[in-house]
């Protein structure tokens, strides 16, 4: 007897082919992202920089979620209420599971906060005094003083799983993270690729994209090349040089958005200024500060130094923030006007100008060195001879640190992802050394009792509306006093293949959960 | 021989110690690492806490003594930034660097030696002149330019090779390598060619010079006279004797390539250890920098030791003392 095996073979071949097809393509969506650097940590309490932050928000969730446009909405906490001026109750969402299958409990939140307080990132929780578990779904958080924007702060604190962290130990959290987020870690080959896969049981619904691959490509030209060859679908920080090249390609799109990073110039208010060789400090005179502001042509910096890729700042914080004063703008109050600036200098008794030094970085902000050079050129027009003291950021932040004993004029960046001007005002404009935790970054030693009183008033109400109005009054005074000159916001530039649906976030944290990719 | 090895070992320890002292002193000028990890508006208490966690609350000499103590126990310190053992961070990235360096050296040797022998044996041939001018170009072109051009031509325009990354890896004897997968080789071609450029040109020129020197010797004429084929003279008598300077330079180049693969790695997003060094300098991450430089010094010393041994094999008249 002979067996005819032919039909069977055919059947097997067909089945194999079908299997191969199903595995190869079909519904598994993959997105490959070209980042500027690899993540350093996957433990959100071990440190932070942009790449790590991007991973954190894929893997973990905060109690309060910050939306792409800087609104604060429920995250792991479905609601919260103020019990008294300093006591908050956060009610946890039901049925949230960690990647290891464990259910989210208030105990995890308490554990997270305890661990945070002892970590390098303790500053994230600096307004929190104490915390405890109230019942099986409620966590109580107390602040040192009434603090209306606690939920905004909590958007930066990601919830860990107590059992997992205790089991694997602190060091391993970096390598085997467990959170409640929409993605979990599949594979991390350092400096080469970090692969995330969709977490099916995500409380917010299963993500559209099944696999996200992050590739660190530091060299900007290579990043563009990898995009154009199809090796990656979307890149972060497209080089300014490549904007035109990519925009020319039919299949690709360049996407820009003003960032939150405000480049600011701090002016010295002390009686004598370290780098000004005079017995008095000319910048104590409001007219001199106004003259400097008017002598800086922000529009020229935008066009000539930034290739059009910056947004001149109106105030110290962007329009989305608590404390922003609609209609008020440095650019309208003190427009570029050399003649008026020279008049003001003469009125103040400095017709011949003076000499001082600008401290700035040369590797921290976009074109920082060129901006500093442009400033020197612009201020020379009103007789101010500006010497440049440029340094790498590893030296800079220690050098300019309060008491800023060697600085008169400092260029640095400031961003407020919490969406609240209060933290910036308290740190930068409150009088130094009178109240713990206030005026820590007041590098120019600016001091105005009205400002101090209003900042304290804002920090003693638990009502956001009231805080907003109080901080607006601070904004108004500051714009008169000019303790600092805001210059511009850098632009975030992305480029993506047309298949990718992507809207940039204000905080730069690319988030695959909000993205999609067409087949 | 044994005495020689012991002497070299002692020399090596002195070199390593000197490297550690120099790096420690240098790093005290490059800014305070604590400001790289705390936020700009950190309070004094927060900074103090960070200092304590990182071990930066002690004075520099104290830190150095502690470093030496730990070193004797086989502890190389922890990265301030990664919070992982510095040595692990480096060793994790070492295979990728060794891969492109070895492939680059292979390309350089395979191409350079035959060309060098040809150019040395036929100095008047127009082809030799072409080879020599080509090698000048190879020496003078900066690596990052070559890399970018290769990416532009072979990745973006011709789509023959990927622009960046390491490709698929497999585990072999406990080491992850991409040299055992087709996809891995596809990825390694462009960076390895880029890295090989300078070395290729140097080996070529040294081989040619060595050959020209050797070909003038009496024993070459004698070998020809006794009827050895031209090919036999070139590779059997000529190359063998002309090879000594090539081996020296080979050893130096190996060390150089490992230490300076940095630029090629950055351009091709190759996950090697060179990029780690650059990032660590940028972040003032002293523990990583110290261990990295000590490791590179160690590699140099070991490679040169091996080169010395190789001399005695190529030319039995030489002995090491």
């Amino acid at each position: 007897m002979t067996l005819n095996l032919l039909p069977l073979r055919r059947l097997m071949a067909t089945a194999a082919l079908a299997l191969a097809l199903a595995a190869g393509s079909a519904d598994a969506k993959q997105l490959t992202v070209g980042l500027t650097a690899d993540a350093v940590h996957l433990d959100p309490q071990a440190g932070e920089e942009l790449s790590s932050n991007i991973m954190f928000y894929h893997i973990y969730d905060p109690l309060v979620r910050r939306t792409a446009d800087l609104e604060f909405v429920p995250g792991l906490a479905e609601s919260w209420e103020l019990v008294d001026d300093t006591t908050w109750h956060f009610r946890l969402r039901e049925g949230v599971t960690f990647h290891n299958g464990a259910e989210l409990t208030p105990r995890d939140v308490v554990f997270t906060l305890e661990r945070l307080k002892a970590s390098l990132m303790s500053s994230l929780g600096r307004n929190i005094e104490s915390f405890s578990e109230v019942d099986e779904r409620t966590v109580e958080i107390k602040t040192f003083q009434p603090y209306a924007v606690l939920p905004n702060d909590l958007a930066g604190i990601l919830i860990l799983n107590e059992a997992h962290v205790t089991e694997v130990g602190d060091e391993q959290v970096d390598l085997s993270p467990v959170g409640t987020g929409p993605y979990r870690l599949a594979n991390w080959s350092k400096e080469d690729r970090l692969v995330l896969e969709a977490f099916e049981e995500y409380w917010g619904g299963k993500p559209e994209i099944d696999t996200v691959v992050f590739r660190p490509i530091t060299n900007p030209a290579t990043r563009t090349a990898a995009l154009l060859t199809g090796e990656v679908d979307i890149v972060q920080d497209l080089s300014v040089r490549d904007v035109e090249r990519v925009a020319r390609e039919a299949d690709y799109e360049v996407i820009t958005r003003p960032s939150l990073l405000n480049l600011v110039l701090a002016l010295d208010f002390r009686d004598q200024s370290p780098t000004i060789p005079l017995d008095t400090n000319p910048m104590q005179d409001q007219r001199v500060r106004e003259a400097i502001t008017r002598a800086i042509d922000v529009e020229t910096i935008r066009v000539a130094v930034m290739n059009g890729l910056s947004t001149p700042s109106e105030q110290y914080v962007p329009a989305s923030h608590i404390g922003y004063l609609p209609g008020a703008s440095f650019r309208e109050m003190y427009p570029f006007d050399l003649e008026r600036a020279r008049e003001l200098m003469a009125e103040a008794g400095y017709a011949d100008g003076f000499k001082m030094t600008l401290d700035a970085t040369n590797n921290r902000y976009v074109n920082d060195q060129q901006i500093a050079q442009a400033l020197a050129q612009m201020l020379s027009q009103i007789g101010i001879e500006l010497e440049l003291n440029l340094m790498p950021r590893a030296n800079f932040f220690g050098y300019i640190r309060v008491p800023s004993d060697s600085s008169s004029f400092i260029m640095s960046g400031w961003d407020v992802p919490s969406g609240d001007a209060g933290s910036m005002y308290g740190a930068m404009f409150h009088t130094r050394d009178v109240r713990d935790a206030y005026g820590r970054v007041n590098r120019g030693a600016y001091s105005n009792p009205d400002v101090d009183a209003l900042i304290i008033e804002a920090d003693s109400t638990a009502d956001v509306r009231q805080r907003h109005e109080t901080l607006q009054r601070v904004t108004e005074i500051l714009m008169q006093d000019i303790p600092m000159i805001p210059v511009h916001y850098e632009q975030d530039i992305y480029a993506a293949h047309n298949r990718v649906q992507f809207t940039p976030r204000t905080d730069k944290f690319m988030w695959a959960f909000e993205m999609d990719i067409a087949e | 021989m044994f005495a020689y090895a012991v002497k070299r070992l002692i020399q090596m320890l002195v070199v390593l110690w000197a490297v550690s002292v120099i790096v420690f002193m240098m790093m005290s000028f490059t800014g305070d690492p604590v400001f790289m990890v705390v936020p700009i508006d950190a309070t004094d208490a927060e900074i103090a806490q960070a200092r304590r966690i990182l071990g930066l609350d002690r004075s520099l000499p104290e830190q150095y003594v502690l470093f030496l103590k730990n070193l004797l126990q086989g502890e190389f310190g922890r990265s301030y930034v990664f919070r992982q053992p510095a040595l692990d961070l480096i060793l994790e990235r070492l295979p990728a660097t060794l891969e492109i360096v070895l492939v680059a050296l292979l390309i350089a040797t395979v191409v350079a030696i035959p060309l060098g022998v040809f150019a040395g044996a036929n100095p008047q041939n127009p082809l030799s002149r072409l080879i020599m001018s080509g090698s000048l170009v190879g020496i003078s072109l900066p690596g990052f330019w070559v890399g970018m051009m290769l990416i532009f031509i072979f990745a973006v325009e011709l789509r023959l090779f990927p622009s960046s990354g390491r490709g698929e890896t497999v585990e072999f004897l406990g080491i992850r390598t991409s040299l055992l997968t087709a996809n891995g080789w596809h990825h390694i071609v462009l960076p390895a060619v880029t890295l090989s450029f300078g070395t290729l040109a140097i080996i070529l020129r040294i081989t040619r010079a060595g050959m020209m020197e050797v070909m003038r010797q009496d024993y070459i004429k004698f070998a020809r006279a006794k009827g050895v084929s031209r090919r036999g003279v070139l590779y059997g008598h000529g190359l063998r004797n002309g090879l000594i300077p090539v081996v020296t330079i080979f050893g130096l180049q190996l060390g150089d390539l490992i230490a300076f693969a940095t630029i090629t790695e950055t351009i091709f997003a190759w996950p090697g250890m060179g990029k780690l060094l650059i990032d660590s300098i940028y972040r003032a991450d002293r523990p990583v920098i110290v261990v990295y430089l000590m490791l590179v010094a160690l590699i140099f010393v070991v490679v040169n030791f091996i080169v010395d041994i190789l001399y005695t094999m190529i030319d039995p008249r030489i002995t090491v003392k």
Side-chain angles (χ1 to χ4, degrees), chain B residues 143-175:
Chain B
F144 64 86
W145 188 83
V146 175
M148 289 319 306
M149 288 316 287
L150 291 182
I151 289 177
F152 181 72
I153 297 169
F154 293 100
V156 179
E157 293 301 323
L158 300 176
R159 302 284 160 102
L160 285 177
F161 294 102
S163 67
S164 57
R166 191 176 175 209
E168 213 179 302
T169 57
V170 287
E171 191 137 340
F172 180 70
L173 299 178
I175 297 167

Side-chain angles (χ1 to χ4, degrees), chain B residues 201-220:
Chain B
I202 289 172
I203 295 184
L204 195 163
R205 295 184 78 86
I206 301 259
T207 309
R208 170 181 173 266
M211 284 303 286
M212 285 177 76
E213 176 74 28
V214 169
M215 292 310 276
R216 277 202 298 271
Q217 302 293 324
D218 290 342
Y219 60 83
I220 296 290

